[in-house]
């Protein structure tokens, strides 16, 4: 279990570093938060997977830890705040307000 835990930690750090290197503008939060989220999510998902699979499939545990770490790290991504992008409005104006502006 110790070797797998080290592997989970390394996977988490690699996922976090890859996210920061590939898309640095998408992660306005501190680097520590991004790396910490990737590390902790890989450790927790790896340990849960290890005990769920009864330790029989360590490669599957490491793979699932990598996927879970990538998914949870992507929650921190903010593409709307990336440099050079226009913020898009999520909601369209209400139709009644639009009609008033058009007829005025």
């Amino acid at each position: 279990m110790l070797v797998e835990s080290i592997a989970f930690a390394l996977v988490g750090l690699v996922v976090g570093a890859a996210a920061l290197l590939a898309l640095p503008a998408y992660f306005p939060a501190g680097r520590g938060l991004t790396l910490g989220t990737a590390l902790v999510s890989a450790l927790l998902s790896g340990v849960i997977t290890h005990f769920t699979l009864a330790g029989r499939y360590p490669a599957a545990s490491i793979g699932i830890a990598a996927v879970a770490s990538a998914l949870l790290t992507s929650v921190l991504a903010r593409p709307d705040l990336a440099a050079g992008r226009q913020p898009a409005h999520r909601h369209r104006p209400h139709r009644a307000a639009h009609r008033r502006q058009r007829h005025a």
Side-chain angles (χ1 to χ4, degrees):
M1 181 67 190
L2 179 64
V3 174
E4 285 183 12
S5 297
I6 293 170
F8 298 147
L10 289 175
V11 163
L13 290 175
V14 166
V15 167
L20 287 172
L21 289 174
L23 302 166
Y26 280 30
F27 295 95
R31 295 179 194 273
L33 179 64
T34 304
L35 287 173
T37 300
L39 175 66
V40 170
S41 62
L43 283 170
L44 286 177
S45 62
V47 168
I48 290 170
T49 305
H50 172 79
F51 286 115
T52 302
L53 298 176
R56 293 183 186 153
Y57 306 103
S61 297
I62 292 170
I64 292 171
V67 170
S69 179
L71 288 174
L72 289 175
T73 302
S74 72
V75 172
L76 299 175
R78 294 291 309 268
D80 58 327
L81 297 179
R85 292 192 63 168
Q86 296 287 335
H89 295 288
R90 293 183 181 207
H91 303 287
R92 295 183 181 171
H94 193 268
R95 287 186 179 184
H98 181 65
R99 287 183 192 143
R100 275 185 258 137
Q101 291 175 357
R102 189 171 43 173
H103 293 300

